[in-house]
Amino acid sequence: MKVLIFGLGMHGGGYSAASYFLDHGDEVRITDLKGACDLGSEMEALTLRGALCISGTHRSEDFLWADIVVKNPAIPPNHPMLAHARMVVNDFAWLFSSPWCEQVKIIGITGTKGKTTTSAAVAHVLTHAGYEAMQCGNMGISAFTVLREWERRHEQGRRLPDFLVVEFSSWQIRDSVQALHGQLPIMEVCALTNFYPDHLNSYQSIEQYLEDKLELFTPSIHMAVVPDVMMKRIQKQTKLDRRHIRGIDRSCPKELEQQPHLQSAYAILLALGLKYKSILKALESFQGVPHRIEQVGSLGSILFVNDSAATIPEAVHFSYAKFRSMAVHLICGGTDKNLKADAMLEEVKHATSISLLDGSFTQNKLLPLLKQHDIPYRGPFKSMGDALQASYDAAQAKQHDLPDLPQAILLSPGSASFELFANEFDRGNQFKNLVGLLLEA
């Protein structure tokens, strides 16, 4: 079979796809507009395995050559090159076409924020309860990687996992629905963690963005877990009985009222039939995931928190809630996604200090907001080192005045990262590395 990987990408998805088909003896070509030096060792490794890598351009002849085109989710479905493709798939479509999916209970999770934390927390609790739960999806684990593992287990006579916890972005849902002609697999639980404006630099409207999210909710799912305000819409869309739709807000126990990042996971686990005491007990040992309210370390009374995955203003509000009892030194700002900054107004008003990372969101949205409300700030800075140093200086000054007051230096940008960093993970890793140097000094 002739396979074209349309967009190698920077998070391993294209590499996993190419590796999967090379493992099966297929002819593989890879096309990506980035240069070979930007794509690094992955393209070199695939070339050594026999793939033909075309960088810096897309050629119509490659699309005409291919039996199937595996599309990167960041590429829009109306890209003109796709008009030459015989068949367009993504990793989920390939996995969900496998009959082995019928042997595994699938939990589908989407939402604007909190998807990765929710997926990881659900898998953690299921493992704690004695089940095997694999993860894949938007957190960076390709469905091709999962399918290859299932194939190896089948060859070795080993059993498949009990659960597959799948994190979907809106683009992955859109591509999966299109590739499978709307025939998504039966899901044990389908969840929407929350919904806020996002990706309005890619979507024509917020409703179009929401519609892509909600395509995950088909009449074949067994249970739906959604914010309370979405329950009626989901019931109308899926025709599920109200007993099979669980509201996240009304499910929240008092023990998790101050931990909003775990409330969706708790509701999903209840829907799966786990007991509330066992869920809460297992969640006590959940350590979270990198770049999402990640506590990096502390120096005296100063706590360093990496929340680089907060790429929309609402996420700053979401994360800041955990640190309201502390003096918060907020590092924020970055690249604009056609979003308003108003959702983080309360946080910038109450922050002890603000250090700005430069970028279009900072220049066009944050600075006007700060000036309008006479909120002092430092920067904008063009490096993480300068922003962190400014926040650390402010924290040290506060520590000198009020040594017993706990403080947090919180990297929670509220925007994308691409003008100063490769991605939000690069942004978070730079923060963590610099904090590590401070802790070692």
Side-chain angles (χ1 to χ4, degrees), residues 360-377:
S360 53
F361 179 76
T362 304
Q363 295 291 340
N364 301 330
K365 304 291 177 62
L366 264 182
L367 283 175
L369 183 74
L370 295 172
K371 291 173 181 177
Q372 177 187 348
H373 294 274
D374 296 319
I375 300 170
Y377 60 89

Side-chain angles (χ1 to χ4, degrees), residues 205-243:
S205 68
I206 189 172
E207 180 62 26
Q208 187 185 63
Y209 169 49
L210 177 59
E211 286 174 358
D212 271 3
K213 290 283 190 193
L214 296 187
E215 279 201 273
L216 194 62
F217 292 80
T218 67
S220 64
I221 65 177
H222 292 164
M223 287 284 295
V225 172
V226 296
D228 289 11
V229 296
M230 296 296 298
M231 291 178 70
K232 288 184 178 178
R233 179 161 181 172
I234 294 299
Q235 184 180 24
K236 183 178 179 181
Q237 178 167 323
T238 62
K239 310 301 182 186
L240 282 175
D241 186 283
R242 281 294 291 267
R243 293 173 298 177

Side-chain angles (χ1 to χ4, degrees), residues 100 149-160:
W100 291 327
E149 170 63 16
W150 289 5
E151 290 172 349
R152 291 191 183 100
R153 291 192 184 198
H154 180 71
E155 292 164 4
Q156 297 165 5
R158 297 162 54 208
R159 64 190 295 270
L160 298 182

Side-chain angles (χ1 to χ4, degrees), residues 66-126:
D67 297 312
I68 63 167
V69 174
V70 182
K71 186 182 80 65
N72 184 298
I75 295 170
N78 60 352
H79 192 287
M81 282 293 176
L82 292 173
H84 304 294
R86 294 187 185 91
M87 180 181 180
V88 181
V89 302
N90 69 348
D91 60 336
F92 287 133
W94 208 257
L95 174 65
F96 293 155
S97 297
S98 166
W100 291 327
C101 277
E102 298 175 4
Q103 302 175 35
V104 179
K105 294 179 179 178
I106 299 173
I107 302 167
I109 298 171
T110 190
T112 304
K113 298 304 298 182
K115 299 185 295 295
T116 301
T117 298
T118 299
S119 300
V122 167
H124 172 83
V125 174
L126 287 171

Side-chain angles (χ1 to χ4, degrees), residues 240-287:
L240 282 175
D241 186 283
R242 281 294 291 267
R243 293 173 298 177
H244 294 94
I245 303 176
R246 183 177 292 276
I248 293 170
D249 310 292
R250 66 185 63 184
S251 298
C252 179
K254 64 180 185 302
E255 292 90 342
L256 295 181
E257 286 176 353
Q258 303 305 314
Q259 300 186 71
H261 61 298
L262 297 179
Q263 291 171 10
S264 297
Y266 176 83
I268 291 167
L269 292 157
L270 274 185
L272 288 169
L274 275 70
K275 303 301 182 183
Y276 83 96
K277 286 186 178 180
S278 64
I279 297 171
L280 293 174
K281 180 65 176 176
L283 285 174
E284 289 177 3
S285 58
F286 177 62
Q287 298 297 312

